[in-house]
Amino acid sequence: MTQLPEPRDIAPRLATGAFILNSGLTLWRADEETAASVHGTATTAYPFLSALPAEQFTRLLAAAEIAVGGALLAPFVPTRLAGAALTGFAGGLVGLYLRLPGMRRPGSLRPTQSGLPLAKDVWMLGIGIGFLGARRRTDGRRCPCPGFLRGR
């Protein structure tokens, strides 16, 4: 039997899922110039990615975004699984922020004006980590606390 997400998880799943899915669908239709720009940024932070052609990398990134966004939006995907996907994806984005020159103020984690768009990805990482802590319900209870705290 498929278990639907907890009510507390629905809003962050919808918000992050829709955001990431939209990004993936937009990137899927990227032109050569956009693909070269996205690839160039990624290879600055992660040099091993230079082995992939720009168009192929951009398509793979778009597919990953579509998959992660779809997993977050699909109610039948367990929250912990969606959280694992979101944590991995957002971790890569936060790594991009930490590795790219000019994104942070010298000697600080605080973003520069240029780094602000990437620094915001820390929220997705936090949501993903929070989803990883979701407990699996085996007895149908919503509250994992002992019976005396539930009023029994």
Side-chain angles (χ1 to χ4, degrees):
M1 180 173 145
T2 301
Q3 211 156 26
L4 296 177
E6 290 282 343
R8 69 174 174 260
D9 297 334
I10 293 172
R13 283 183 70 157
L14 287 175
T16 55
F19 184 86
I20 295 169
L21 179 62
N22 178 62
S23 177
L25 292 173
T26 301
L27 199 55
W28 188 262
R29 297 182 294 270
D31 58 19
E32 280 184 41
E33 184 179 334
T34 302
S37 175
V38 168
H39 186 249
T41 300
T43 58
T44 300
Y46 300 110
F48 68 91
L49 294 174
S50 62
L52 291 173
E55 293 81 14
Q56 182 182 9
F57 168 77
T58 304
R59 270 293 167 109
L60 289 170
L61 178 59
E65 288 183 334
I66 291 167
V68 171
L72 287 160
L73 292 171
F76 56 84
V77 175
T79 296
R80 288 179 70 170
L81 181 59
L86 179 58
T87 300
F89 178 73
L93 294 173
V94 170
L96 198 66
Y97 166 71
L98 293 173
R99 293 170 186 238
L100 286 175
M103 298 294 112
R104 295 179 290 123
R105 296 177 191 202
S108 174
L109 289 176
R110 294 177 58 208
T112 60
Q113 195 63 34
S114 300
L116 216 48
L118 282 175
K120 60 133 179 72
D121 294 331
V122 74
W123 294 102
M124 288 193 293
L125 181 60
I127 291 168
I129 291 169
F131 286 165
L132 289 176
R135 297 185 75 173
R136 185 168 175 244
R137 296 184 319 261
T138 57
D139 61 0
R141 295 183 306 157
R142 289 218 178 265
C143 179
C145 53
F148 70 89
L149 291 177
R150 289 192 313 272
R152 286 188 190 177

